[in-house]
Amino acid sequence: MTDEGFESLLTTMAEMSRNIAQTSSLDSTLESVTSACVQLIPDVAGASILIVEGPEKYGSLAPTSELTEKLDALQHRFQQGPCWDAATTNPATRAPDLRGDDRWPEFAPAAVEAGILSMLSFRLFTFDSRVGALNLFSEKVDAFGDESETVGGMLATQAATALIANDRALQFRSALASRDIIGQAKGMLMERFDVDAVRAFELLSRVSSDSNVPLATIAERVVEKGSASREPA
């Protein structure tokens, strides 16, 4: 990599880090990652981030073209390709020449027909049935070497960090919402049965344990029934 290219990479990484720290939107951060892949890594015709949550649900995030989005859909459809290997087997998976690659007998010919001859994919995370990978596509054979893998790996780290930060923010908001609904349910039970907060929480916990239903769900039902009973006839 030239000195100019290295400086450009450092600037891009610094900007992405600031975006994550300043809670920039997830979409804009991921778009900056895939755009940087095209700009900073030679011979990249397109880039995308494929997220798969179970056999029926997937998403192609921040695709740089309709073609990359289509190829992500094909990887999900066939459940094979560099993305799948990166997510489940190797942290980084190279496909130097898809024309003769028998690792993905259905995906590889489809990618070649679409004009893509080589790929490079990076694992972002795996959690239960949820997997994610950054995919780089090229119209040239053997487009990605060690330098491409190094730069792509750094950019993949930024994407993974943004996704993890977003997940934690969603979990935090979910926890706040659960705590609020449990508080409302406790208040209703305290009023209805003339008990203190501790006793009201024990009642909710007992019903949750006996029915094997999450505490927050029990609280939601209590609030719904209590609100319905207060509505004017």
mmCIF file of all heavy atoms in Angstrom, residues 128-180:
data_model
loop_
_atom_site.group_PDB
_atom_site.id
_atom_site.type_symbol
_atom_site.label_atom_id
_atom_site.label_comp_id
_atom_site.label_asym_id
_atom_site.label_seq_id
_atom_site.Cartn_x
_atom_site.Cartn_y
_atom_site.Cartn_z
ATOM 1 N N ASP A 128 -25.970 -17.643 18.237
ATOM 2 C CA ASP A 128 -27.101 -18.545 18.049
ATOM 3 C C ASP A 128 -27.290 -18.789 16.547
ATOM 4 O O ASP A 128 -26.392 -19.247 15.873
ATOM 5 C CB ASP A 128 -28.363 -17.976 18.698
ATOM 6 C CG ASP A 128 -28.241 -17.959 20.226
ATOM 7 O OD1 ASP A 128 -27.454 -18.759 20.759
ATOM 8 O OD2 ASP A 128 -28.931 -17.152 20.858
ATOM 9 N N SER A 129 -28.469 -18.459 16.020
ATOM 10 C CA SER A 129 -28.736 -18.678 14.601
ATOM 11 C C SER A 129 -28.425 -17.434 13.774
ATOM 12 O O SER A 129 -28.677 -17.399 12.568
ATOM 13 C CB SER A 129 -30.207 -19.064 14.397
ATOM 14 O OG SER A 129 -31.052 -18.015 14.842
ATOM 15 N N ARG A 130 -27.866 -16.415 14.388
ATOM 16 C CA ARG A 130 -27.596 -15.153 13.704
ATOM 17 C C ARG A 130 -26.120 -15.075 13.318
ATOM 18 O O ARG A 130 -25.243 -15.247 14.163
ATOM 19 C CB ARG A 130 -27.963 -13.983 14.620
ATOM 20 C CG ARG A 130 -27.928 -12.630 13.950
ATOM 21 C CD ARG A 130 -28.492 -11.591 14.893
ATOM 22 N NE ARG A 130 -28.564 -10.289 14.255
ATOM 23 C CZ ARG A 130 -28.056 -9.179 14.776
ATOM 24 N NH1 ARG A 130 -27.456 -9.218 15.953
ATOM 25 N NH2 ARG A 130 -28.151 -8.033 14.149
ATOM 26 N N VAL A 131 -25.861 -14.847 12.050
ATOM 27 C CA VAL A 131 -24.492 -14.730 11.566
ATOM 28 C C VAL A 131 -24.384 -13.499 10.682
ATOM 29 O O VAL A 131 -25.378 -13.013 10.137
ATOM 30 C CB VAL A 131 -24.053 -15.986 10.770
ATOM 31 C CG1 VAL A 131 -24.087 -17.219 11.646
ATOM 32 C CG2 VAL A 131 -24.926 -16.185 9.533
ATOM 33 N N GLY A 132 -23.165 -13.000 10.550
ATOM 34 C CA GLY A 132 -22.954 -11.835 9.705
ATOM 35 C C GLY A 132 -21.573 -11.869 9.082
ATOM 36 O O GLY A 132 -20.624 -12.387 9.670
ATOM 37 N N ALA A 133 -21.454 -11.334 7.859
ATOM 38 C CA ALA A 133 -20.162 -11.297 7.180
ATOM 39 C C ALA A 133 -20.104 -10.107 6.233
ATOM 40 O O ALA A 133 -21.127 -9.685 5.673
ATOM 41 C CB ALA A 133 -19.911 -12.590 6.406
ATOM 42 N N LEU A 134 -18.904 -9.558 6.081
ATOM 43 C CA LEU A 134 -18.634 -8.513 5.105
ATOM 44 C C LEU A 134 -18.136 -9.187 3.830
ATOM 45 O O LEU A 134 -17.192 -9.984 3.874
ATOM 46 C CB LEU A 134 -17.564 -7.554 5.641
ATOM 47 C CG LEU A 134 -16.989 -6.534 4.652
ATOM 48 C CD1 LEU A 134 -18.063 -5.552 4.198
ATOM 49 C CD2 LEU A 134 -15.807 -5.796 5.291
ATOM 50 N N ASN A 135 -18.760 -8.882 2.707
ATOM 51 C CA ASN A 135 -18.425 -9.528 1.439
ATOM 52 C C ASN A 135 -17.854 -8.525 0.440
ATOM 53 O O ASN A 135 -18.422 -7.445 0.245
ATOM 54 C CB ASN A 135 -19.677 -10.173 0.823
ATOM 55 C CG ASN A 135 -20.238 -11.272 1.699
ATOM 56 O OD1 ASN A 135 -19.516 -12.152 2.141
ATOM 57 N ND2 ASN A 135 -21.538 -11.221 1.951
ATOM 58 N N LEU A 136 -16.741 -8.907 -0.188
ATOM 59 C CA LEU A 136 -16.134 -8.108 -1.245
ATOM 60 C C LEU A 136 -16.213 -8.900 -2.548
ATOM 61 O O LEU A 136 -15.907 -10.099 -2.572
ATOM 62 C CB LEU A 136 -14.670 -7.790 -0.926
ATOM 63 C CG LEU A 136 -14.368 -7.203 0.458
ATOM 64 C CD1 LEU A 136 -12.880 -6.884 0.561
ATOM 65 C CD2 LEU A 136 -15.204 -5.968 0.720
ATOM 66 N N PHE A 137 -16.611 -8.232 -3.620
ATOM 67 C CA PHE A 137 -16.797 -8.881 -4.918
ATOM 68 C C PHE A 137 -15.890 -8.237 -5.962
ATOM 69 O O PHE A 137 -15.719 -7.015 -5.968
ATOM 70 C CB PHE A 137 -18.255 -8.740 -5.381
ATOM 71 C CG PHE A 137 -19.271 -9.231 -4.384
ATOM 72 C CD1 PHE A 137 -19.775 -8.385 -3.396
ATOM 73 C CD2 PHE A 137 -19.734 -10.538 -4.418
ATOM 74 C CE1 PHE A 137 -20.725 -8.830 -2.486
ATOM 75 C CE2 PHE A 137 -20.671 -10.991 -3.511
ATOM 76 C CZ PHE A 137 -21.171 -10.139 -2.541
ATOM 77 N N SER A 138 -15.343 -9.061 -6.838
ATOM 78 C CA SER A 138 -14.498 -8.532 -7.908
ATOM 79 C C SER A 138 -14.828 -9.207 -9.229
ATOM 80 O O SER A 138 -15.197 -10.382 -9.271
ATOM 81 C CB SER A 138 -13.015 -8.744 -7.582
ATOM 82 O OG SER A 138 -12.207 -8.257 -8.651
ATOM 83 N N GLU A 139 -14.661 -8.445 -10.309
ATOM 84 C CA GLU A 139 -14.877 -8.973 -11.647
ATOM 85 C C GLU A 139 -13.602 -9.593 -12.202
ATOM 86 O O GLU A 139 -13.595 -10.087 -13.329
ATOM 87 C CB GLU A 139 -15.358 -7.844 -12.566
ATOM 88 C CG GLU A 139 -16.706 -7.261 -12.133
ATOM 89 C CD GLU A 139 -17.070 -6.008 -12.906
ATOM 90 O OE1 GLU A 139 -16.162 -5.452 -13.579
ATOM 91 O OE2 GLU A 139 -18.238 -5.589 -12.845
ATOM 92 N N LYS A 140 -12.523 -9.568 -11.407
ATOM 93 C CA LYS A 140 -11.234 -10.108 -11.839
ATOM 94 C C LYS A 140 -10.894 -11.385 -11.082
ATOM 95 O O LYS A 140 -11.280 -11.559 -9.932
ATOM 96 C CB LYS A 140 -10.125 -9.078 -11.616
ATOM 97 C CG LYS A 140 -10.285 -7.812 -12.436
ATOM 98 C CD LYS A 140 -9.110 -6.875 -12.223
ATOM 99 C CE LYS A 140 -9.237 -5.617 -13.082
ATOM 100 N NZ LYS A 140 -8.075 -4.710 -12.884
ATOM 101 N N VAL A 141 -10.128 -12.245 -11.725
ATOM 102 C CA VAL A 141 -9.646 -13.467 -11.083
ATOM 103 C C VAL A 141 -8.496 -13.127 -10.135
ATOM 104 O O VAL A 141 -7.675 -12.255 -10.433
ATOM 105 C CB VAL A 141 -9.175 -14.480 -12.148
ATOM 106 C CG1 VAL A 141 -8.494 -15.679 -11.501
ATOM 107 C CG2 VAL A 141 -10.356 -14.930 -13.004
ATOM 108 N N ASP A 142 -8.475 -13.805 -8.981
ATOM 109 C CA ASP A 142 -7.393 -13.646 -8.006
ATOM 110 C C ASP A 142 -7.176 -12.178 -7.648
ATOM 111 O O ASP A 142 -6.045 -11.682 -7.600
ATOM 112 C CB ASP A 142 -6.101 -14.256 -8.552
ATOM 113 C CG ASP A 142 -5.129 -14.617 -7.437
ATOM 114 O OD1 ASP A 142 -5.570 -14.702 -6.263
ATOM 115 O OD2 ASP A 142 -3.930 -14.793 -7.724
ATOM 116 N N ALA A 143 -8.273 -11.493 -7.364
ATOM 117 C CA ALA A 143 -8.197 -10.054 -7.106
ATOM 118 C C ALA A 143 -7.676 -9.720 -5.711
ATOM 119 O O ALA A 143 -7.154 -8.624 -5.489
ATOM 120 C CB ALA A 143 -9.581 -9.433 -7.293
ATOM 121 N N PHE A 144 -7.798 -10.646 -4.758
ATOM 122 C CA PHE A 144 -7.528 -10.307 -3.369
ATOM 123 C C PHE A 144 -6.314 -11.058 -2.827
ATOM 124 O O PHE A 144 -6.287 -12.286 -2.788
ATOM 125 C CB PHE A 144 -8.753 -10.624 -2.510
ATOM 126 C CG PHE A 144 -10.004 -9.952 -3.004
ATOM 127 C CD1 PHE A 144 -11.070 -10.691 -3.483
ATOM 128 C CD2 PHE A 144 -10.103 -8.574 -3.024
ATOM 129 C CE1 PHE A 144 -12.218 -10.084 -3.953
ATOM 130 C CE2 PHE A 144 -11.242 -7.942 -3.499
ATOM 131 C CZ PHE A 144 -12.308 -8.695 -3.963
ATOM 132 N N GLY A 145 -5.312 -10.288 -2.405
ATOM 133 C CA GLY A 145 -4.116 -10.846 -1.795
ATOM 134 C C GLY A 145 -4.062 -10.545 -0.313
ATOM 135 O O GLY A 145 -5.059 -10.167 0.318
ATOM 136 N N ASP A 146 -2.878 -10.683 0.270
ATOM 137 C CA ASP A 146 -2.713 -10.475 1.707
ATOM 138 C C ASP A 146 -3.024 -9.039 2.118
ATOM 139 O O ASP A 146 -3.605 -8.800 3.180
ATOM 140 C CB ASP A 146 -1.283 -10.830 2.128
ATOM 141 C CG ASP A 146 -1.007 -12.324 2.009
ATOM 142 O OD1 ASP A 146 -1.975 -13.096 1.960
ATOM 143 O OD2 ASP A 146 0.180 -12.696 1.951
ATOM 144 N N GLU A 147 -2.630 -8.075 1.294
ATOM 145 C CA GLU A 147 -2.894 -6.674 1.635
ATOM 146 C C GLU A 147 -4.392 -6.398 1.644
ATOM 147 O O GLU A 147 -4.902 -5.705 2.536
ATOM 148 C CB GLU A 147 -2.199 -5.748 0.641
ATOM 149 C CG GLU A 147 -2.348 -4.264 0.998
ATOM 150 C CD GLU A 147 -1.559 -3.364 0.081
ATOM 151 O OE1 GLU A 147 -0.324 -3.490 0.052
ATOM 152 O OE2 GLU A 147 -2.191 -2.534 -0.617
ATOM 153 N N SER A 148 -5.099 -6.951 0.673
ATOM 154 C CA SER A 148 -6.551 -6.780 0.632
ATOM 155 C C SER A 148 -7.189 -7.377 1.877
ATOM 156 O O SER A 148 -8.121 -6.799 2.448
ATOM 157 C CB SER A 148 -7.130 -7.464 -0.610
ATOM 158 O OG SER A 148 -6.652 -6.872 -1.782
ATOM 159 N N GLU A 149 -6.676 -8.531 2.308
ATOM 160 C CA GLU A 149 -7.229 -9.179 3.494
ATOM 161 C C GLU A 149 -6.954 -8.358 4.746
ATOM 162 O O GLU A 149 -7.807 -8.256 5.631
ATOM 163 C CB GLU A 149 -6.647 -10.578 3.648
ATOM 164 C CG GLU A 149 -7.299 -11.379 4.766
ATOM 165 C CD GLU A 149 -6.934 -12.849 4.727
ATOM 166 O OE1 GLU A 149 -6.750 -13.386 3.620
ATOM 167 O OE2 GLU A 149 -6.841 -13.450 5.814
ATOM 168 N N THR A 150 -5.782 -7.727 4.816
ATOM 169 C CA THR A 150 -5.446 -6.897 5.969
ATOM 170 C C THR A 150 -6.353 -5.671 6.057
ATOM 171 O O THR A 150 -6.928 -5.376 7.111
ATOM 172 C CB THR A 150 -3.976 -6.446 5.899
ATOM 173 O OG1 THR A 150 -3.128 -7.592 5.929
ATOM 174 C CG2 THR A 150 -3.631 -5.538 7.081
ATOM 175 N N VAL A 151 -6.491 -4.961 4.950
ATOM 176 C CA VAL A 151 -7.334 -3.756 4.932
ATOM 177 C C VAL A 151 -8.798 -4.132 5.141
ATOM 178 O O VAL A 151 -9.509 -3.499 5.937
ATOM 179 C CB VAL A 151 -7.161 -2.986 3.607
ATOM 180 C CG1 VAL A 151 -8.111 -1.782 3.567
ATOM 181 C CG2 VAL A 151 -5.721 -2.515 3.459
ATOM 182 N N GLY A 152 -9.245 -5.178 4.453
ATOM 183 C CA GLY A 152 -10.631 -5.604 4.617
ATOM 184 C C GLY A 152 -10.930 -6.049 6.030
ATOM 185 O O GLY A 152 -12.013 -5.773 6.562
ATOM 186 N N GLY A 153 -9.968 -6.708 6.668
ATOM 187 C CA GLY A 153 -10.163 -7.129 8.055
ATOM 188 C C GLY A 153 -10.322 -5.958 9.002
ATOM 189 O O GLY A 153 -11.135 -6.004 9.936
ATOM 190 N N MET A 154 -9.562 -4.887 8.756
ATOM 191 C CA MET A 154 -9.692 -3.686 9.589
ATOM 192 C C MET A 154 -11.062 -3.051 9.413
ATOM 193 O O MET A 154 -11.700 -2.634 10.393
ATOM 194 C CB MET A 154 -8.584 -2.693 9.240
ATOM 195 C CG MET A 154 -7.185 -3.190 9.564
ATOM 196 S SD MET A 154 -5.877 -2.084 8.959
ATOM 197 C CE MET A 154 -6.149 -0.655 10.028
ATOM 198 N N LEU A 155 -11.531 -2.983 8.183
ATOM 199 C CA LEU A 155 -12.853 -2.403 7.931
ATOM 200 C C LEU A 155 -13.962 -3.302 8.483
ATOM 201 O O LEU A 155 -14.975 -2.804 8.996
ATOM 202 C CB LEU A 155 -13.044 -2.188 6.428
ATOM 203 C CG LEU A 155 -12.118 -1.137 5.809
ATOM 204 C CD1 LEU A 155 -12.200 -1.177 4.285
ATOM 205 C CD2 LEU A 155 -12.462 0.257 6.315
ATOM 206 N N ALA A 156 -13.767 -4.612 8.408
ATOM 207 C CA ALA A 156 -14.747 -5.536 8.977
ATOM 208 C C ALA A 156 -14.864 -5.341 10.482
ATOM 209 O O ALA A 156 -15.957 -5.456 11.051
ATOM 210 C CB ALA A 156 -14.354 -6.975 8.660
ATOM 211 N N THR A 157 -13.749 -5.041 11.148
ATOM 212 C CA THR A 157 -13.779 -4.788 12.588
ATOM 213 C C THR A 157 -14.663 -3.591 12.909
ATOM 214 O O THR A 157 -15.419 -3.596 13.886
ATOM 215 C CB THR A 157 -12.358 -4.551 13.115
ATOM 216 O OG1 THR A 157 -11.578 -5.725 12.896
ATOM 217 C CG2 THR A 157 -12.370 -4.219 14.605
ATOM 218 N N GLN A 158 -14.591 -2.558 12.073
ATOM 219 C CA GLN A 158 -15.438 -1.376 12.279
ATOM 220 C C GLN A 158 -16.914 -1.738 12.122
ATOM 221 O O GLN A 158 -17.760 -1.295 12.905
ATOM 222 C CB GLN A 158 -15.056 -0.277 11.279
ATOM 223 C CG GLN A 158 -13.675 0.298 11.482
ATOM 224 C CD GLN A 158 -13.571 1.107 12.756
ATOM 225 O OE1 GLN A 158 -14.542 1.720 13.192
ATOM 226 N NE2 GLN A 158 -12.404 1.114 13.366
ATOM 227 N N ALA A 159 -17.229 -2.547 11.119
ATOM 228 C CA ALA A 159 -18.621 -2.958 10.914
ATOM 229 C C ALA A 159 -19.115 -3.788 12.093
ATOM 230 O O ALA A 159 -20.236 -3.597 12.575
ATOM 231 C CB ALA A 159 -18.744 -3.755 9.617
ATOM 232 N N ALA A 160 -18.285 -4.715 12.555
ATOM 233 C CA ALA A 160 -18.672 -5.559 13.683
ATOM 234 C C ALA A 160 -18.892 -4.725 14.934
ATOM 235 O O ALA A 160 -19.851 -4.941 15.688
ATOM 236 C CB ALA A 160 -17.600 -6.621 13.930
ATOM 237 N N THR A 161 -18.021 -3.752 15.168
ATOM 238 C CA THR A 161 -18.158 -2.881 16.338
ATOM 239 C C THR A 161 -19.469 -2.107 16.293
ATOM 240 O O THR A 161 -20.166 -1.976 17.301
ATOM 241 C CB THR A 161 -16.975 -1.898 16.407
ATOM 242 O OG1 THR A 161 -15.753 -2.637 16.503
ATOM 243 C CG2 THR A 161 -17.103 -0.984 17.618
ATOM 244 N N ALA A 162 -19.812 -1.591 15.109
ATOM 245 C CA ALA A 162 -21.062 -0.832 14.964
ATOM 246 C C ALA A 162 -22.272 -1.720 15.212
ATOM 247 O O ALA A 162 -23.239 -1.325 15.877
ATOM 248 C CB ALA A 162 -21.137 -0.211 13.571
ATOM 249 N N LEU A 163 -22.249 -2.951 14.692
ATOM 250 C CA LEU A 163 -23.372 -3.877 14.876
ATOM 251 C C LEU A 163 -23.520 -4.279 16.343
ATOM 252 O O LEU A 163 -24.635 -4.339 16.868
ATOM 253 C CB LEU A 163 -23.173 -5.119 14.009
ATOM 254 C CG LEU A 163 -23.385 -4.904 12.506
ATOM 255 C CD1 LEU A 163 -22.779 -6.047 11.709
ATOM 256 C CD2 LEU A 163 -24.869 -4.761 12.182
ATOM 257 N N ILE A 164 -22.403 -4.543 17.010
ATOM 258 C CA ILE A 164 -22.453 -4.920 18.425
ATOM 259 C C ILE A 164 -22.965 -3.756 19.265
ATOM 260 O O ILE A 164 -23.789 -3.938 20.172
ATOM 261 C CB ILE A 164 -21.065 -5.376 18.891
ATOM 262 C CG1 ILE A 164 -20.705 -6.711 18.230
ATOM 263 C CG2 ILE A 164 -21.019 -5.522 20.412
ATOM 264 C CD1 ILE A 164 -19.257 -7.115 18.419
ATOM 265 N N ALA A 165 -22.487 -2.542 18.968
ATOM 266 C CA ALA A 165 -22.945 -1.366 19.702
ATOM 267 C C ALA A 165 -24.437 -1.156 19.520
ATOM 268 O O ALA A 165 -25.159 -0.811 20.464
ATOM 269 C CB ALA A 165 -22.171 -0.133 19.240
ATOM 270 N N ASN A 166 -24.918 -1.382 18.291
ATOM 271 C CA ASN A 166 -26.352 -1.233 18.026
ATOM 272 C C ASN A 166 -27.163 -2.275 18.786
ATOM 273 O O ASN A 166 -28.226 -1.967 19.353
ATOM 274 C CB ASN A 166 -26.611 -1.366 16.534
ATOM 275 C CG ASN A 166 -28.061 -1.154 16.168
ATOM 276 O OD1 ASN A 166 -28.587 -0.060 16.250
ATOM 277 N ND2 ASN A 166 -28.723 -2.214 15.746
ATOM 278 N N ASP A 167 -26.677 -3.517 18.822
ATOM 279 C CA ASP A 167 -27.365 -4.571 19.568
ATOM 280 C C ASP A 167 -27.458 -4.221 21.047
ATOM 281 O O ASP A 167 -28.497 -4.422 21.682
ATOM 282 C CB ASP A 167 -26.632 -5.908 19.406
ATOM 283 C CG ASP A 167 -26.947 -6.584 18.083
ATOM 284 O OD1 ASP A 167 -27.890 -6.119 17.405
ATOM 285 O OD2 ASP A 167 -26.256 -7.548 17.723
ATOM 286 N N ARG A 168 -26.381 -3.696 21.600
ATOM 287 C CA ARG A 168 -26.383 -3.348 23.023
ATOM 288 C C ARG A 168 -27.353 -2.209 23.308
ATOM 289 O O ARG A 168 -28.028 -2.207 24.339
ATOM 290 C CB ARG A 168 -24.968 -2.970 23.463
ATOM 291 C CG ARG A 168 -24.030 -4.175 23.546
ATOM 292 C CD ARG A 168 -22.646 -3.774 23.967
ATOM 293 N NE ARG A 168 -21.793 -4.949 24.130
ATOM 294 C CZ ARG A 168 -20.485 -4.895 24.379
ATOM 295 N NH1 ARG A 168 -19.881 -3.718 24.476
ATOM 296 N NH2 ARG A 168 -19.789 -6.010 24.522
ATOM 297 N N ALA A 169 -27.423 -1.251 22.368
ATOM 298 C CA ALA A 169 -28.365 -0.143 22.551
ATOM 299 C C ALA A 169 -29.799 -0.654 22.530
ATOM 300 O O ALA A 169 -30.641 -0.231 23.336
ATOM 301 C CB ALA A 169 -28.158 0.905 21.462
ATOM 302 N N LEU A 170 -30.101 -1.577 21.607
ATOM 303 C CA LEU A 170 -31.445 -2.155 21.538
ATOM 304 C C LEU A 170 -31.767 -2.945 22.796
ATOM 305 O O LEU A 170 -32.882 -2.880 23.322
ATOM 306 C CB LEU A 170 -31.563 -3.048 20.308
ATOM 307 C CG LEU A 170 -31.517 -2.352 18.947
ATOM 308 C CD1 LEU A 170 -31.526 -3.376 17.824
ATOM 309 C CD2 LEU A 170 -32.691 -1.387 18.796
ATOM 310 N N GLN A 171 -30.773 -3.702 23.291
ATOM 311 C CA GLN A 171 -30.978 -4.478 24.512
ATOM 312 C C GLN A 171 -31.235 -3.557 25.698
ATOM 313 O O GLN A 171 -32.070 -3.845 26.562
ATOM 314 C CB GLN A 171 -29.764 -5.364 24.779
ATOM 315 C CG GLN A 171 -29.612 -6.511 23.788
ATOM 316 C CD GLN A 171 -28.289 -7.221 23.935
ATOM 317 O OE1 GLN A 171 -27.502 -6.921 24.833
ATOM 318 N NE2 GLN A 171 -28.024 -8.178 23.050
ATOM 319 N N PHE A 172 -30.508 -2.432 25.737
ATOM 320 C CA PHE A 172 -30.679 -1.484 26.835
ATOM 321 C C PHE A 172 -32.075 -0.877 26.818
ATOM 322 O O PHE A 172 -32.751 -0.795 27.853
ATOM 323 C CB PHE A 172 -29.622 -0.390 26.728
ATOM 324 C CG PHE A 172 -29.713 0.659 27.808
ATOM 325 C CD1 PHE A 172 -29.396 0.357 29.124
ATOM 326 C CD2 PHE A 172 -30.127 1.946 27.501
ATOM 327 C CE1 PHE A 172 -29.486 1.312 30.125
ATOM 328 C CE2 PHE A 172 -30.216 2.911 28.492
ATOM 329 C CZ PHE A 172 -29.891 2.599 29.804
ATOM 330 N N ARG A 173 -32.526 -0.483 25.610
ATOM 331 C CA ARG A 173 -33.873 0.094 25.514
ATOM 332 C C ARG A 173 -34.931 -0.941 25.869
ATOM 333 O O ARG A 173 -35.952 -0.621 26.497
ATOM 334 C CB ARG A 173 -34.093 0.648 24.105
ATOM 335 C CG ARG A 173 -33.327 1.914 23.811
ATOM 336 C CD ARG A 173 -33.864 2.610 22.574
ATOM 337 N NE ARG A 173 -33.539 1.896 21.361
ATOM 338 C CZ ARG A 173 -32.437 2.094 20.650
ATOM 339 N NH1 ARG A 173 -31.547 2.972 21.044
ATOM 340 N NH2 ARG A 173 -32.227 1.421 19.539
ATOM 341 N N SER A 174 -34.707 -2.183 25.462
ATOM 342 C CA SER A 174 -35.643 -3.248 25.795
ATOM 343 C C SER A 174 -35.699 -3.468 27.301
ATOM 344 O O SER A 174 -36.773 -3.676 27.881
ATOM 345 C CB SER A 174 -35.240 -4.534 25.089
ATOM 346 O OG SER A 174 -36.087 -5.597 25.445
ATOM 347 N N ALA A 175 -34.526 -3.408 27.954
ATOM 348 C CA ALA A 175 -34.477 -3.592 29.404
ATOM 349 C C ALA A 175 -35.209 -2.462 30.128
ATOM 350 O O ALA A 175 -35.927 -2.698 31.105
ATOM 351 C CB ALA A 175 -33.020 -3.658 29.869
ATOM 352 N N LEU A 176 -35.052 -1.235 29.629
ATOM 353 C CA LEU A 176 -35.757 -0.104 30.238
ATOM 354 C C LEU A 176 -37.263 -0.259 30.086
ATOM 355 O O LEU A 176 -38.029 0.009 31.028
ATOM 356 C CB LEU A 176 -35.304 1.206 29.583
ATOM 357 C CG LEU A 176 -33.907 1.718 29.938
ATOM 358 C CD1 LEU A 176 -33.626 3.007 29.197
ATOM 359 C CD2 LEU A 176 -33.766 1.933 31.438
ATOM 360 N N ALA A 177 -37.694 -0.698 28.893
ATOM 361 C CA ALA A 177 -39.124 -0.886 28.665
ATOM 362 C C ALA A 177 -39.674 -1.975 29.575
ATOM 363 O O ALA A 177 -40.773 -1.841 30.135
ATOM 364 C CB ALA A 177 -39.373 -1.245 27.199
ATOM 365 N N SER A 178 -38.918 -3.072 29.750
ATOM 366 C CA SER A 178 -39.360 -4.167 30.623
ATOM 367 C C SER A 178 -39.467 -3.685 32.065
ATOM 368 O O SER A 178 -40.423 -4.017 32.777
ATOM 369 C CB SER A 178 -38.378 -5.339 30.529
ATOM 370 O OG SER A 178 -38.385 -5.889 29.237
ATOM 371 N N ARG A 179 -38.467 -2.919 32.485
ATOM 372 C CA ARG A 179 -38.493 -2.423 33.863
ATOM 373 C C ARG A 179 -39.696 -1.512 34.093
ATOM 374 O O ARG A 179 -40.332 -1.546 35.152
ATOM 375 C CB ARG A 179 -37.197 -1.660 34.164
ATOM 376 C CG ARG A 179 -37.051 -1.259 35.628
ATOM 377 C CD ARG A 179 -35.704 -0.644 35.899
ATOM 378 N NE ARG A 179 -35.545 0.639 35.244
ATOM 379 C CZ ARG A 179 -34.461 1.411 35.371
ATOM 380 N NH1 ARG A 179 -33.443 0.989 36.107
ATOM 381 N NH2 ARG A 179 -34.382 2.574 34.759
ATOM 382 N N ASP A 180 -40.027 -0.709 33.082
ATOM 383 C CA ASP A 180 -41.162 0.206 33.208
ATOM 384 C C ASP A 180 -42.479 -0.559 33.315
ATOM 385 O O ASP A 180 -43.331 -0.252 34.152
ATOM 386 C CB ASP A 180 -41.192 1.149 32.003
ATOM 387 C CG ASP A 180 -42.342 2.134 32.086
ATOM 388 O OD1 ASP A 180 -42.336 2.960 33.012
ATOM 389 O OD2 ASP A 180 -43.235 2.069 31.229
#
